[in-house]
Amino acid sequence: AFMQAGARVSDYRMTRFLKVLLRWAGSMSEQELIWALSAIRHLKKQPKYEDVAVHQVAAKFMRVAAFLFNQKLHFYSPSGIVRTLSEFCMLDAVPEKVVFRA
């Protein structure tokens, strides 16, 4: 809801949010993973700069998300696979191992 309303989220809050997601990343469902990736995209926090803290944490989250997506691919629904891959592609980060497995 906050993304549709155009709310501004500070880098500090986004960094804390992504750190919490990293802590619980192993127990995320496919919908939660899609939601987190779309939050990164909508709030324009794609990892571009190495010296910005929120970009470092976003890059780390995306690496962990790609790893977990590869591990849990056989549990995902076909529409969940397509939606997750499209979110990764919109973030300009394609998990190549998963593409070949899917």
Side-chain angles (χ1 to χ4, degrees), residues 5-89:
R8 296 182 59 106
V9 179
S10 68
D11 285 351
Y12 172 76
R13 296 275 183 212
M14 190 65 180
T15 304
R16 302 258 316 175
F17 168 70
L18 289 173
K19 284 183 180 180
V20 169
L21 287 180
L22 277 171
R23 191 175 306 138
W24 297 100
S27 62
M28 290 178 72
S29 67
E30 68 180 283
Q31 297 300 323
E32 293 167 342
L33 181 65
I34 293 167
W35 177 80
L37 290 172
S38 68
I40 292 172
R41 181 173 53 88
H42 282 291
L43 296 172
K44 296 176 178 62
K45 303 298 182 189
Q46 291 100 329
K48 294 180 183 175
Y49 306 108
E50 294 180 6
D51 55 343
V52 180
V54 69
H55 292 264
Q56 292 172 357
V57 178
K60 187 173 183 180
F61 176 77
M62 288 175 61
R63 280 193 307 270
V64 169
F67 173 76
L68 292 173
F69 183 50
N70 190 24
Q71 294 293 316
K72 297 180 179 183
L73 184 65
H74 57 285
F75 292 121
Y76 279 30
S77 65
S79 64
I81 293 171
V82 170
R83 288 175 53 204
T84 307
L85 283 175
S86 68
E87 285 296 331
F88 272 116
C89 289

Side-chain angles (χ1 to χ4, degrees), residues 83-100:
R83 288 175 53 204
T84 307
L85 283 175
S86 68
E87 285 296 331
F88 272 116
C89 289
M90 284 188 253
L91 287 168
D92 295 330
V94 180
E96 294 176 6
K97 288 183 183 180
V98 178
V99 172
F100 291 116

